[in-house]
Structure formats: structure tokens, C-alpha cells
Amino acid sequence: SEVVDMTLRQAAQANKTNFRVIVVDSQPLLEGRHMLSQLRDAGIECTYVLLNALTYVLQDVSKVLLGASALMSDGSIWGRAGTGCVALAAHAQHIPVLVCSETYKISNRVQLESLTANELGSPFEPTSDAKSDAESKLPP
């Protein structure tokens, strides 16, 4: 999330305190790599892990910052893949979870269940190699 990235860089500049950031990323887009680069360029000490290593690194975490695609009127958030996993794991360890988002993302909608607005896409999208292999096996 650009807001999380900006929040961390501003905190590093304003407070002049040392802190370390653990960037947790997930497949298939691996968007956390860009944030990792931005934070390191700002002089912030960072660690990069994939979502499957989350429980291993949570022992070193004092708070969790999440980005959101939308903030629903009932207080729920709509985020990228893995957002719920991170929030639930942090909650289980009694680690505070903070959501960073722009105010224009506040929606009057209510999320009744998690399948309402899931991202839909091609099952072949995550890797181009898998796409060519799998498509070649499909019947005409």
C-alpha cells in the first residue's frame, strides 16, 4: 500500500527513531518488493518475507500496518490477498493492527461475507509457464 509506505517513511523522517519493518508479501503479484525498495532507499531497516513465513516473524512484531482497497461502513476492510490472514495471526498474538487508507476509500457498503467481491481472474494468470502448460492440455 502506498499509504503504509508513505506513513513509514514520514515516521522515519519526523521521529528520528530507529525501527525495523518486516514487509510481508504474497504471490502472485509480489507488490511488496516495490515497498521494500522504497523503504530501504529511505534508510529504514527492512526484512522481506512471504506470507507463509508470517507466524515465524510475528514474534518480533510490535504492531501491524495494513493497507486497504476499501473501508466498509460496518468497520470491515477490503484488502489484497493475505490481508485477513495477517490480521488474524496478529490478533491471535495480541499485536495491534492498524489500517492505513485514504478517506476517499470509505464506502457505505457492508461486507456480509467474504465471497461477495472476491477478485476473479484467470486460473492461469499467476505464472506464464503454468499458463502455456495448462492451456496446451485443455480440450479444444
Side-chain angles (χ1 to χ4, degrees), residues 19-134:
F19 58 89
R20 184 171 63 102
V21 174
I22 300 173
V23 177
V24 179
D25 206 355
S26 65
Q27 298 277 355
L29 300 178
L30 300 172
E31 295 169 315
R33 291 179 180 176
H34 178 69
M35 178 185 284
L36 178 70
S37 173
Q38 296 285 341
L39 294 175
R40 284 191 173 162
D41 289 346
I44 300 172
E45 182 185 348
C46 296
T47 302
Y48 178 84
V49 298
L50 292 177
L51 185 60
N52 59 343
L54 176 66
T55 55
Y56 177 74
V57 298
L58 270 181
Q59 62 193 3
D60 299 330
V61 173
S62 61
K63 64 185 65 60
V64 171
L65 300 179
L66 296 173
S69 298
L71 303 167
M72 305 299 178
S73 62
D74 64 351
S76 61
I77 67 168
W78 186 21
R80 290 285 193 183
T83 302
C85 295
V86 173
L88 287 171
H91 177 73
Q93 298 294 320
H94 307 289
I95 299 169
V97 177
L98 307 168
V99 178
C100 303
S101 182
E102 299 93 337
T103 56
Y104 72 85
K105 292 184 177 181
I106 297 173
S107 170
N108 61 357
R109 292 181 48 205
V110 175
Q111 186 77 12
L112 297 177
E113 42 90 11
S114 63
L115 300 177
T116 302
N118 274 349
E119 294 178 28
L120 299 175
S122 169
F124 305 115
E125 189 175 308
T127 64
S128 58
D129 293 339
K131 180 178 180 178
S132 59
D133 291 344

